[in-house]
Amino acid sequence: MSFVEIKEISKNYGANHVVRKVDLNIEKGEFISLLGPSGCGKTTVLRMIAGFETPSTGSVTIDNEDVTQLNPAQRNVGMVFQAYALFPNMTVADNVAFGLKIAGKPAAEIKARVAEMLELVKLPLVGDRYPYQLSGGQQQRIALARALAISPRILLLDEPLSALDAKIRVSLREEIRSVQRKLGITTVFVTHDQEEALSISDRVVVMNEGRIEQLGTPPEIYNQPRTRFVASFVGTLTIMSAKIVDPVARTLTIGDQPVKSRLSPKGKSGDEITVGLRPEAISLGKARANSNSLNANVTDINFLGSILRVKMRCGAHDIALDMFNQNMSKPPEVGAPVTINFDPNDLVILDA
Amino acid sequence: MSFVEIKEISKNYGANHVVRKVDLNIEKGEFISLLGPSGCGKTTVLRMIAGFETPSTGSVTIDNEDVTQLNPAQRNVGMVFQAYALFPNMTVADNVAFGLKIAGKPAAEIKARVAEMLELVKLPLVGDRYPYQLSGGQQQRIALARALAISPRILLLDEPLSALDAKIRVSLREEIRSVQRKLGITTVFVTHDQEEALSISDRVVVMNEGRIEQLGTPPEIYNQPRTRFVASFVGTLTIMSAKIVDPVARTLTIGDQPVKSRLSPKGKSGDEITVGLRPEAISLGKARANSNSLNANVTDINFLGSILRVKMRCGAHDIALDMFNQNMSKPPEVGAPVTINFDPNDLVILDA
Amino acid sequence: MKNSKIGAWLAVILGALYFLLPLIATFEFSLRLKRGEYSFEAYKIVLSDPDFQSAFTYSIVLAIVTIVIGILIVVPTAYWVQLRLPKLRPLVEFITLLPLVIPAIIIVFGYVRMYNTSSILPLTQTALGTDALLSFGYVALALPYMYRAVETGMRSIDVGTLTEAAESLGAKWPMILWKVILPNIKSAILSGAFLTFATVIGEFTFASLLNRPTFGPYLQLIGAKRAYEPAALAIIAFIITWACMGLLQVAGGAMRSANGAKK
Amino acid sequence: MKNSKIGAWLAVILGALYFLLPLIATFEFSLRLKRGEYSFEAYKIVLSDPDFQSAFTYSIVLAIVTIVIGILIVVPTAYWVQLRLPKLRPLVEFITLLPLVIPAIIIVFGYVRMYNTSSILPLTQTALGTDALLSFGYVALALPYMYRAVETGMRSIDVGTLTEAAESLGAKWPMILWKVILPNIKSAILSGAFLTFATVIGEFTFASLLNRPTFGPYLQLIGAKRAYEPAALAIIAFIITWACMGLLQVAGGAMRSANGAKK
């Protein structure tokens, strides 16, 4: 029995099906991300766990208790919103104390708990300030402290980093992960940012059009995307068509050049299939043993800072290759013929 | 004589100095980005070129004509806004035709030019639609077409990609670059996104607090940041303190471990200086000839999708290392002692 | 959650009753001119009264003049304030709220004092002058509604950026106002116009003190002399008002959906 | 750009004159009670009139009662509509706009008809009953201002998310309304209250038709009998109103700066 069990929940507003039969089990202490484009239903799933929406069908169980019909105040879950949602009329300390006061805790206990929480989010000295006196990142830390003060059974985070600047976004996400590990609290995190989801989670749930597309650990999602949607939504992927030569020997051709794959392609000799290749899985240079190699021509080079993206034409396909920008290494020249190498492991065979 | 000459322009609102004596020459056909955090004055510089703000001091010259006192309608510049700013009451074709109608061109010429512009932004079939019927990316392409229709002397882009989704942002920035190259139009692009600025520009102007911090080609800005601000704003940089051993032999110590630099550090033996190291410039493994090596301990590994970021402790410093996520390579384990290598070229010596 | 929904519906229904019950009572009474049966006799009498016809026509003309002057004053002012003088907005808002809180009687007092027959500009000497004065008074009275409507309309489109976009394409001020701003706040202006119309049709104090034969004083005159006809008149006024409000909602809805689609 | 600034200032100044000139004329006239010199004699007479004092006190009490009832009706309604029934907003806005466009005279007609001495609820039989009716009428009259103010206040804070945040921390509805929502829309409520106050103090039609001794009918009574005192009364009414508006601006400014800082 998992700590949180979501059974076939659906949500529709009239004919508009926002969530379609989502099943999800979350273990105690796990950090789960719901990842997908806007409108994929990820936030609605989170809001059904929190109790802000009632599922049209299905049930939500937390710690063996069916909470489907309970209102949010009865569920004992902590929630952090994209818009911070601190109470503007209260000091930081009063914000953090709010849930404890509602629960009728004694004043001394509240005071100690507030201090502990502010310490936890590394803002021990701002208790007397008002929310508008804090930066966005600080406000979101306080919102986290407020949500955790009531010792919730699960922590729900609804795009908590989207309103912040790039640098703060990275540091706060590491902060959230470290607080979560320290407390061992079961956490559900909603985001549309794939790097965020991959870097922070134990498992990632990729959603699209109200359904779960793929569920797995970050490396599984990234390295073995099962559908074309996951492959293109998570990371960059060059998508090519290939032709099966021998399904048993796992040999294919791309254009007219032979390559090998690690997994057997589904289909028979001569079938067209779709394969993908990550820009960072490819390297330049002479063909090596056991690796695939293709001949291509460099068409463009983009300088992206830490990375140089080399764009190449290989038959009918445009292939992208990423290499680190290092002072020593020289990028190839535009127009030059090159040979690219990649491991059979890195050739992703897509279902559709 | 450069095509656009900006001479010591300043802008202050009362005691608030938004732009402080900015000098900038832009060559004909050049693509220049103004990069900086919000409030650094980059947008105000752009607006002074466009004529929406009048400089408090200094002058703007375009094509040998001093335009400092001209109003925007007299300058013949094309402007694209973050908010698209298409006229909601007009069709796409009428939007693109607006500037031509104002200029009193004959109807047949307008019609041909509109068709040409829609072709240029690869949306030839949407002329009869209204802006609200288009996606954000499409609207921004139309805004680009509208700005270019009047054959402006320069094209000004004010964070044109900020309101768009990540994937569309990348494809539209490549589009903008290719249109700019095709027309050879002098372009100034304002952004707070360093990858955007590095990937799209001929030269990048990094601004901070109303001043130009550094001006150079993208690789110059990225590989040889001159100030701590540029180094930390553009890309990721591990900042460490080092001690000069011998300024002539270019030897330093980080912690107690000896390293070499390519450039001579300013100072004498025993002085403390600040150095920086990019996460992607470091590699794991045994010490190689001519390269620096340091001993460190792995403290954390972050999976970021295409990249694994390895965090290490080296004496008093936290060092980050980036490696590509490849199915074949195994990341080191947390807690393991490792030796890291980097080229003397990659050790950045910061002025402050 | 379901309880709160019932509560909200209850509040809405109570609010509706608050206004509708008096209306229904008035309507019921207006039908009772003939003893023992309901009839529209009172309406027939009212509608065939030539005084009613002239008073009503007069009020409608006044309303239209007021609307035109109001638009000419409000639109450029709101545009300039929003574009160039955002700091002045509180002041302008204050000024446009004044008519809501200065009793009409004070404004008229002042007008009569300023433009009487012995003043420099003796507007009250002639009927046309008084009419001009009256419609200026009405412009003032309707200012809050017109300004609010236009201002809301301008805020819903990004006036500043649209203006800059048009400027950078070479357009000048009158052109921008006419081609870019006006077409996009059409429905806001319409909604302000309807509110102005309703205000002018129902106004009494100004017309009565300046002694002009509008619909308001006519209503009062009938009210003093007859029993059922005033009720019928009140219902007629309400229907006209209601038609205005309906159009306003349609205009507002069109504006909202256009904006919604834009996002 | 400089031309347009001058134009905008000119528009603002003209607008100000539009309202201020009649006021100044009235003020100047009110000082001329004593022949050949300016004096505050008219004010002395008015302020020492016991009828003025009682009418004025009566109006203030009515205004306060109206404000309290208005807040109790508007705040929960606006909260529920914004939170649970956003689809109803156009309808509720329509209802709250009704008093602006239904002439007051119609509402009173209906009230008198419904609550007369022969009806089921003969409110007009007793003075207290009529007072109750009067203040209900005033609540309706002031509804647009109160509702708009409260609704704007609620929109400026993110009512929905704040409510959800409080709910997830275990708070129930009355607690959320009292501890989270009300403190954050205090200044909006205050601004609605001031507008209500100004409306009630200056109102004439209701009070006169229901025959209650408020400030409005007193003003009219004096206006019919005297020359200079009404001008003085108008100025007094204006000063009170102005004080209200000033407080409103202060409250609004405080709200705005708090919101500005929040961002």
Side-chain angles (χ1 to χ4, degrees):
Chain A
M1 189 82 185
S2 299
F3 188 66
V4 178
E5 301 211 331
I6 295 168
K7 274 196 194 135
E8 292 214 333
I9 51 168
S10 299
K11 181 74 186 178
N12 32 286
Y13 302 100
N16 183 15
H17 294 266
V18 180
V19 174
R20 299 156 191 254
K21 292 202 174 176
V22 163
D23 266 306
L24 182 61
N25 292 327
I26 305 170
E27 300 305 321
K28 198 169 171 69
E30 202 177 11
F31 196 118
I32 289 262
S33 288
L34 305 180
L35 172 67
S38 54
C40 73
K42 57 190 192 299
T43 296
T44 309
V45 170
L46 191 82
R47 290 173 62 80
M48 287 193 282
I49 303 175
F52 299 128
E53 309 276 352
T54 313
S56 304
T57 61
S59 69
V60 177
T61 310
I62 301 175
D63 201 7
N64 289 320
E65 180 193 8
D66 186 332
V67 300
T68 318
Q69 297 304 323
L70 296 186
N71 66 41
Q74 298 166 319
R75 292 193 183 194
N76 190 24
V77 296
M79 181 96 182
V80 175
F81 301 86
Q82 179 178 345
Y84 321 144
L86 295 179
F87 306 129
N89 57 310
M90 300 182 199
T91 62
V92 164
D94 286 341
N95 263 285
V96 178
F98 187 84
L100 302 166
K101 279 184 190 150
I102 298 279
K105 304 275 181 202
E109 187 185 328
I110 292 178
K111 209 181 154 196
R113 182 76 179 158
V114 168
E116 183 191 346
M117 285 298 117
L118 293 181
E119 194 68 51
L120 183 72
V121 297
K122 297 187 179 158
L123 289 170
L125 302 171
V126 302
D128 292 334
R129 297 213 209 143
Y130 281 89
Y132 71 86
Q133 296 171 307
L134 304 180
S135 71
Q138 290 176 320
Q139 287 191 53
Q140 199 58 297
R141 279 158 193 251
I142 299 302
L144 182 65
R146 182 179 67 176
L148 291 170
I150 56 167
S151 309
R153 295 188 289 188
I154 30 175
L155 177 63
L156 305 174
L157 303 150
D158 186 9
E159 307 232 11
L161 307 172
S162 300
L164 301 170
D165 286 344
K167 301 255 160 183
I168 294 165
R169 207 148 60 206
V170 172
S171 70
L172 190 54
R173 96 181 168 213
E174 289 174 3
E175 194 86 32
I176 288 175
R177 180 55 163 158
S178 103
V179 165
Q180 187 268 342
R181 276 187 189 160
K182 203 178 289 172
L183 302 179
I185 186 169
T186 314
T187 302
V188 183
F189 181 92
V190 162
T191 182
H192 63 269
D193 180 324
Q194 48 111 358
E195 185 184 305
E196 225 164 84
L198 294 175
S199 66
I200 208 173
S201 322
D202 294 317
R203 284 193 297 160
V204 176
V205 180
V206 183
M207 288 187 68
N208 188 30
E209 294 184 346
R211 288 199 187 82
I212 293 182
E213 287 267 335
Q214 190 169 353
L215 169 61
T217 64
E220 276 169 19
I221 296 284
Y222 188 85
N223 295 329
Q224 293 144 40
R226 270 215 303 272
T227 65
R228 201 167 171 142
F229 173 81
V230 175
S232 64
F233 190 78
V234 181
T236 310
L237 195 79
T238 300
I239 289 177
M240 297 176 285
S241 63
K243 202 174 267 179
I244 300 175
V245 175
D246 182 345
V248 180
R250 304 192 296 270
T251 51
L252 314 164
T253 53
I254 295 176
D256 292 328
Q257 308 186 53
V259 292
K260 282 195 149 201
S261 72
R262 190 177 62 92
L263 299 170
S264 307
K266 284 172 202 150
K268 56 181 195 304
S269 182
D271 281 2
E272 288 268 350
I273 58 166
T274 307
V275 296
L277 203 48
R278 300 273 182 204
E280 73 276 7
I282 314 173
S283 54
L284 287 174
K286 267 184 261 172
R288 286 173 298 182
N290 294 325
S291 86
N292 290 312
S293 63
L294 292 171
N295 293 317
N297 281 290
V298 177
T299 53
D300 197 7
I301 293 178
N302 285 346
F303 181 71
L304 308 179
S306 61
I307 283 172
L308 291 179
R309 177 157 296 170
V310 181
K311 296 196 169 172
M312 295 162 300
R313 190 85 192 155
C314 169
H317 300 294
D318 286 310
I319 298 181
L321 175 157
D322 279 358
M323 55 192 285
F324 279 130
N325 158 38
Q326 276 162 320
N327 265 335
M328 292 297 285
S329 58
K330 274 240 166 176
E333 279 180 27
V334 173
V338 288
T339 304
I340 58 170
N341 287 293
F342 56 93
D343 193 271
N345 270 322
D346 287 322
L347 192 72
V348 182
I349 296 175
L350 298 169
D351 284 354
Chain B
M1 190 84 185
S2 300
F3 188 67
V4 178
E5 299 211 333
I6 295 168
K7 274 197 194 133
E8 292 214 334
I9 49 168
S10 299
K11 181 74 187 177
N12 33 283
Y13 302 100
N16 184 13
H17 294 266
V18 180
V19 173
R20 300 154 189 256
K21 292 202 175 177
V22 163
D23 264 307
L24 182 62
N25 292 326
I26 305 171
E27 301 305 321
K28 198 169 171 74
E30 202 177 14
F31 195 118
I32 288 263
S33 288
L34 305 180
L35 172 68
S38 54
C40 73
K42 57 190 190 299
T43 296
T44 308
V45 170
L46 191 82
R47 290 172 62 80
M48 288 192 284
I49 302 175
F52 299 127
E53 309 277 352
T54 313
S56 305
T57 62
S59 70
V60 177
T61 309
I62 301 175
D63 201 6
N64 289 321
E65 178 192 11
D66 187 332
V67 298
T68 318
Q69 298 303 325
L70 296 186
N71 66 42
Q74 297 165 320
R75 293 194 182 193
N76 191 23
V77 297
M79 181 96 182
V80 174
F81 300 85
Q82 180 178 345
Y84 321 144
L86 295 179
F87 307 130
N89 57 309
M90 299 180 198
T91 62
V92 164
D94 286 340
N95 264 285
V96 177
F98 188 82
L100 302 167
K101 278 184 192 153
I102 298 280
K105 304 274 182 205
E109 187 185 328
I110 292 179
K111 210 181 155 198
R113 181 78 178 156
V114 168
E116 183 192 345
M117 286 298 117
L118 292 181
E119 194 69 51
L120 182 72
V121 297
K122 297 186 179 159
L123 287 172
L125 302 172
V126 302
D128 293 333
R129 296 215 207 141
Y130 281 89
Y132 70 87
Q133 295 172 307
L134 304 180
S135 70
Q138 291 175 320
Q139 287 191 53
Q140 199 58 296
R141 279 159 192 250
I142 299 303
L144 183 65
R146 182 179 66 178
L148 291 171
I150 57 168
S151 309
R153 294 190 288 188
I154 28 174
L155 177 64
L156 306 173
L157 304 149
D158 186 10
E159 305 233 11
L161 307 172
S162 300
L164 301 170
D165 287 343
K167 300 254 159 184
I168 294 163
R169 209 147 59 205
V170 173
S171 70
L172 190 53
R173 97 181 167 214
E174 290 173 3
E175 194 86 32
I176 287 175
R177 180 54 163 159
S178 102
V179 165
Q180 188 269 340
R181 276 187 190 161
K182 201 176 292 172
L183 302 181
I185 185 167
T186 313
T187 302
V188 183
F189 180 90
V190 163
T191 181
H192 63 268
D193 181 323
Q194 48 111 358
E195 186 184 304
E196 227 164 81
L198 294 175
S199 65
I200 209 172
S201 322
D202 293 317
R203 284 192 298 160
V204 176
V205 179
V206 184
M207 289 188 67
N208 188 30
E209 294 184 346
R211 289 199 185 83
I212 293 182
E213 287 267 333
Q214 191 169 350
L215 169 62
T217 64
E220 275 169 21
I221 296 285
Y222 188 85
N223 295 328
Q224 294 145 39
R226 268 215 304 273
T227 65
R228 201 168 172 138
F229 173 80
V230 175
S232 64
F233 189 78
V234 180
T236 310
L237 196 78
T238 301
I239 289 177
M240 297 176 287
S241 63
K243 203 175 264 177
I244 300 176
V245 175
D246 182 344
V248 180
R250 304 192 295 269
T251 51
L252 315 164
T253 53
I254 295 176
D256 291 330
Q257 308 187 53
V259 293
K260 283 195 146 201
S261 71
R262 188 175 64 92
L263 298 170
S264 306
K266 283 173 203 151
K268 56 181 196 303
S269 181
D271 282 2
E272 288 267 349
I273 57 167
T274 306
V275 295
L277 204 47
R278 300 272 181 204
E280 73 276 9
I282 314 174
S283 54
L284 287 174
K286 266 184 262 173
R288 286 175 298 183
N290 295 326
S291 88
N292 290 311
S293 62
L294 292 172
N295 294 316
N297 281 291
V298 177
T299 54
D300 196 7
I301 294 179
N302 286 345
F303 181 73
L304 307 179
S306 62
I307 282 172
L308 290 179
R309 177 157 294 171
V310 182
K311 295 196 168 171
M312 294 164 299
R313 190 85 192 156
C314 168
H317 300 293
D318 285 311
I319 298 181
L321 175 156
D322 280 357
M323 54 193 285
F324 280 130
N325 160 39
Q326 278 162 317
N327 265 335
M328 292 297 285
S329 59
K330 274 242 165 174
E333 283 183 20
V334 173
V338 288
T339 303
I340 57 171
N341 286 293
F342 55 93
D343 193 273
N345 271 322
D346 289 321
L347 192 71
V348 181
I349 295 175
L350 297 169
D351 284 353
Chain C
M1 225 158 96
K2 272 173 192 166
N3 280 336
S4 72
K5 270 209 176 162
I6 293 169
W9 271 108
L10 223 91
V12 169
I13 289 165
L14 276 179
L17 286 183
Y18 204 91
F19 294 101
L20 293 182
L21 273 189
L23 196 74
I24 293 166
T26 307
F27 180 61
E28 194 264 357
F29 185 75
S30 75
L31 299 178
R32 286 200 286 183
L33 186 108
K34 283 191 180 169
R35 229 154 260 281
E37 57 164 329
Y38 284 146
S39 75
F40 284 96
E41 196 59 32
Y43 293 85
K44 265 185 218 157
I45 294 171
V46 165
L47 291 174
S48 59
D49 181 357
D51 284 352
F52 164 79
Q53 290 161 6
S54 76
F56 198 64
T57 315
Y58 182 72
S59 276
I60 287 180
V61 171
L62 257 180
I64 293 170
V65 171
T66 305
I67 288 169
V68 171
I69 299 174
I71 291 174
L72 289 179
I73 293 178
V74 165
V75 173
T77 308
Y79 181 56
W80 267 318
V81 167
Q82 190 146 356
L83 213 61
R84 293 286 168 204
L85 300 165
K87 275 183 203 153
L88 278 189
R89 204 157 68 200
L91 178 65
V92 174
E93 259 172 30
F94 171 80
I95 290 172
T96 57
L97 276 178
L98 278 179
L100 289 186
V101 283
I102 303 185
I105 206 165
I106 296 183
I107 301 180
V108 185
F109 257 127
Y111 280 168
V112 171
R113 199 72 55 204
M114 280 166 69
Y115 304 112
N116 63 15
T117 44
S118 58
S119 72
I120 313 160
L121 194 67
L123 282 178
T124 53
Q125 213 163 18
T126 62
L128 197 70
T130 316
D131 286 349
L133 201 54
L134 190 56
S135 62
F136 276 119
Y138 284 165
V139 169
L141 214 60
L143 195 65
Y145 314 127
M146 184 58 93
Y147 188 82
R148 283 243 156 175
V150 169
E151 216 235 353
T152 309
M154 283 197 180
R155 278 205 213 196
S156 75
I157 60 170
D158 185 350
V159 170
T161 315
L162 287 185
T163 301
E164 290 185 349
E167 270 185 290
S168 75
L169 293 168
K172 303 222 163 49
W173 290 91
M175 174 76 97
I176 298 175
L177 203 54
W178 184 249
K179 287 272 193 184
V180 176
I181 305 303
L182 268 185
N184 287 310
I185 57 166
K186 235 186 311 185
S187 49
I189 292 176
L190 221 58
S191 105
F194 288 136
L195 278 175
T196 306
F197 185 83
T199 308
V200 173
I201 293 292
E203 207 281 334
F204 169 71
T205 318
F206 270 43
S208 153
L209 283 171
L210 288 172
N211 199 25
R212 299 303 301 155
T214 67
F215 186 64
Y218 174 80
L219 189 69
Q220 204 229 13
L221 201 74
I222 294 289
K225 288 194 295 189
R226 309 287 190 100
Y228 300 99
E229 286 85 345
L233 268 177
I235 294 297
I236 291 171
F238 176 76
I239 288 171
I240 293 162
T241 306
W242 198 88
C244 284
M245 288 296 290
L247 286 172
L248 189 159
Q249 288 295 315
V250 170
M255 187 166 70
R256 258 191 298 278
S257 71
N259 284 331
K262 216 169 54 188
K263 273 175 190 166
Chain D
M1 228 159 90
K2 273 173 192 166
N3 279 337
S4 73
K5 269 210 178 164
I6 292 168
W9 272 107
L10 222 91
V12 169
I13 289 165
L14 275 180
L17 287 183
Y18 204 93
F19 293 102
L20 293 183
L21 273 190
L23 197 73
I24 292 165
T26 306
F27 179 62
E28 194 264 357
F29 185 75
S30 75
L31 298 178
R32 288 201 285 183
L33 185 108
K34 283 192 180 167
R35 228 155 262 279
E37 59 163 326
Y38 284 144
S39 76
F40 284 98
E41 195 59 30
Y43 292 85
K44 265 185 216 156
I45 294 171
V46 165
L47 290 174
S48 60
D49 181 356
D51 283 352
F52 165 79
Q53 289 161 9
S54 76
F56 199 64
T57 315
Y58 182 71
S59 276
I60 287 181
V61 171
L62 257 181
I64 293 170
V65 171
T66 305
I67 288 169
V68 171
I69 299 174
I71 292 174
L72 289 178
I73 293 177
V74 165
V75 174
T77 308
Y79 181 55
W80 267 319
V81 167
Q82 189 145 358
L83 213 61
R84 294 288 169 202
L85 301 165
K87 276 182 201 155
L88 279 189
R89 205 157 65 200
L91 179 64
V92 173
E93 258 171 31
F94 172 78
I95 289 172
T96 56
L97 277 178
L98 277 180
L100 288 186
V101 283
I102 304 186
I105 206 166
I106 296 183
I107 300 181
V108 185
F109 256 126
Y111 279 169
V112 171
R113 201 71 56 204
M114 280 167 69
Y115 303 113
N116 64 13
T117 44
S118 60
S119 73
I120 314 161
L121 195 66
L123 282 179
T124 53
Q125 211 163 19
T126 62
L128 196 69
T130 316
D131 286 348
L133 201 53
L134 191 56
S135 61
F136 276 118
Y138 283 165
V139 169
L141 214 59
L143 195 63
Y145 314 127
M146 184 58 94
Y147 187 83
R148 284 245 155 171
V150 169
E151 216 236 354
T152 310
M154 283 195 181
R155 279 205 212 197
S156 75
I157 60 170
D158 184 351
V159 170
T161 315
L162 286 185
T163 300
E164 290 185 349
E167 271 186 290
S168 77
L169 294 167
K172 302 221 165 49
W173 290 90
M175 175 75 97
I176 297 173
L177 203 53
W178 184 248
K179 288 271 190 184
V180 176
I181 305 303
L182 267 185
N184 287 310
I185 57 165
K186 236 185 312 185
S187 48
I189 292 176
L190 220 58
S191 102
F194 288 135
L195 278 175
T196 306
F197 184 84
T199 308
V200 173
I201 294 291
E203 206 284 332
F204 169 72
T205 318
F206 270 43
S208 154
L209 283 171
L210 289 171
N211 200 23
R212 298 302 301 155
T214 66
F215 185 66
Y218 174 80
L219 189 69
Q220 204 230 13
L221 200 73
I222 293 289
K225 288 194 296 189
R226 309 286 191 100
Y228 299 99
E229 287 84 343
L233 268 176
I235 294 298
I236 292 172
F238 175 75
I239 289 171
I240 293 162
T241 306
W242 199 87
C244 284
M245 289 296 291
L247 285 172
L248 189 158
Q249 288 295 317
V250 171
M255 188 167 69
R256 258 190 299 275
S257 69
N259 285 333
K262 218 168 52 187
K263 273 172 193 166

